[in-house]
Amino acid sequence: MAQKVAVLGTGKIGEALISGMIRAGRAPADLLVTTRRPERAADLRARHGVTPVSNPEAAQQADTLILTVKPQDMGTLLDELAPHVPADRLVISGAAGIPTSFIESRLTEGTPVVRVMTNTPALVDEAMSVISAGSHATDAHLAHTEEVFGAVGKTLLVPESQQDATTALSGSGPAYFYFLVEAMTDAGILLGLPRDKAHDLIVQAAIGAAVMLRDSGEHPVKLRENVTSPAGTTINAIRELENHGVRAALIAALEAARDRSRELASGSNS
């Protein structure tokens, strides 16, 4: 549908999208980028062959605008873009907590807006990108968004009312796993292993478990039970996790992340 795509505020995730789109077959000449620093723009041009432009130029030239700025910078960016964005531009927002209604209210009436929450595994083409339509976005707009983000991983369509929950679960999700790997590595050191060996053991266990979850079709309870022998080591460890309230702590942590996403949305509407 769209021929030129512009990534505005091209940080790590934005660059991952650019790289993924190029690998998926999009010509670098059809990709525009905007950055705050000239040296960053020159680096992107040198590495990917894309064209650095200003934000107004991106709005005027591209068919699709992907906004990858931080949530607190979204209002300023939209004020800059508003005079230059025709109603036929597709605007894709990757800012956590910012509802499509906030973006629509700052742009020309009828502008299609799609909200996406992706995550940092986009850097290794293993992202989970959750996509929601604004009030003017069509099925064609959603399909195009899936094509763009499908270049760096999997995509999932959800109603926008579920975006705060998916932000807590998936957008922030990799950080929880890094936290667990860090804690388990420290435990390995406490048990007498060198840090590098403890790290390798935990990382491979995490990769193997994730692949089994993805490919086996089994419920995680079933997979856990397959490892948990009566009166064995695993059940003793799980008992301690339950005694220390790890399950409840995880639920509370995700609720806190969801609530923060809602706070960001509330702030954008003020």
Side-chain angles (χ1 to χ4, degrees):
M1 182 179 67
Q3 295 186 1
K4 281 192 178 294
V5 176
V7 179
L8 285 71
T10 311
K12 290 183 178 180
I13 294 294
E15 185 174 2
L17 282 173
I18 290 166
S19 179
M21 285 187 280
I22 292 172
R23 289 194 302 275
R26 192 175 295 274
D30 292 332
L31 295 172
L32 310 176
V33 296
T34 78
T35 67
R36 287 183 173 178
R37 297 181 290 109
E39 59 270 26
R40 172 65 171 162
D43 182 55
L44 290 169
R45 184 198 290 273
R47 284 201 282 177
H48 303 290
V50 296
T51 303
V53 294
S54 67
N55 289 327
E57 287 172 333
Q60 293 163 359
Q61 297 176 28
D63 301 283
T64 300
L65 306 176
I66 304 176
L67 314 183
T68 61
V69 298
K70 298 181 185 303
Q72 59 267 31
D73 296 329
M74 182 63 76
T76 300
L77 175 62
L78 292 173
D79 288 342
E80 184 180 4
L81 293 177
H84 308 285
V85 180
D88 63 349
R89 294 289 189 270
L90 170 59
V91 177
I92 301 173
S93 169
I98 304 296
T100 56
S101 59
F102 174 76
I103 299 171
E104 291 166 349
S105 69
R106 300 294 189 95
L107 300 176
T108 303
E109 175 64 29
T111 300
V113 177
V114 173
R115 178 176 171 183
V116 180
M117 173 46 60
T118 192
N119 55 20
T120 55
L123 299 170
V124 292
D125 292 346
E126 291 291 349
M128 184 73 245
S129 300
V130 183
I131 299 170
S132 300
S135 58
H136 306 297
T138 66
D139 289 344
H141 295 129
L142 291 174
H144 177 58
T145 304
E146 286 191 280
E147 176 190 355
V148 169
F149 283 84
V152 293
K154 293 189 175 184
T155 62
L156 179 69
L157 297 175
V158 303
E160 189 170 9
S161 61
Q162 296 177 0
Q163 274 283 355
D164 292 325
T166 60
T167 296
L169 196 64
S170 179
S172 299
Y176 314 146
F177 286 98
Y178 302 146
F179 183 87
L180 288 172
V181 167
E182 178 187 1
M184 293 174 73
T185 300
D186 287 344
I189 296 168
L190 179 66
L191 297 175
L193 292 171
R195 178 174 292 276
D196 59 342
K197 288 184 171 58
H199 174 82
D200 290 347
L201 287 166
I202 295 303
V203 169
Q204 187 56 40
I207 292 170
V211 171
M212 289 185 71
L213 279 167
R214 184 190 65 191
D215 296 346
S216 70
E218 296 281 3
H219 194 280
V221 169
K222 176 63 175 176
L223 293 175
R224 179 177 60 76
E225 287 176 346
N226 291 341
V227 187
T228 309
S229 303
T233 59
T234 305
I235 192 62
N236 274 273
I238 289 173
R239 180 186 62 185
E240 288 302 311
L241 291 173
E242 295 290 7
N243 287 342
H244 286 81
V246 172
R247 187 188 304 266
L250 286 171
I251 293 172
L254 267 66
E255 288 179 330
R258 178 207 59 196
D259 293 346
R260 179 55 182 155
S261 183
R262 289 176 176 173
E263 288 173 4
L264 290 171
S266 176
S268 72
N269 288 325
S270 61

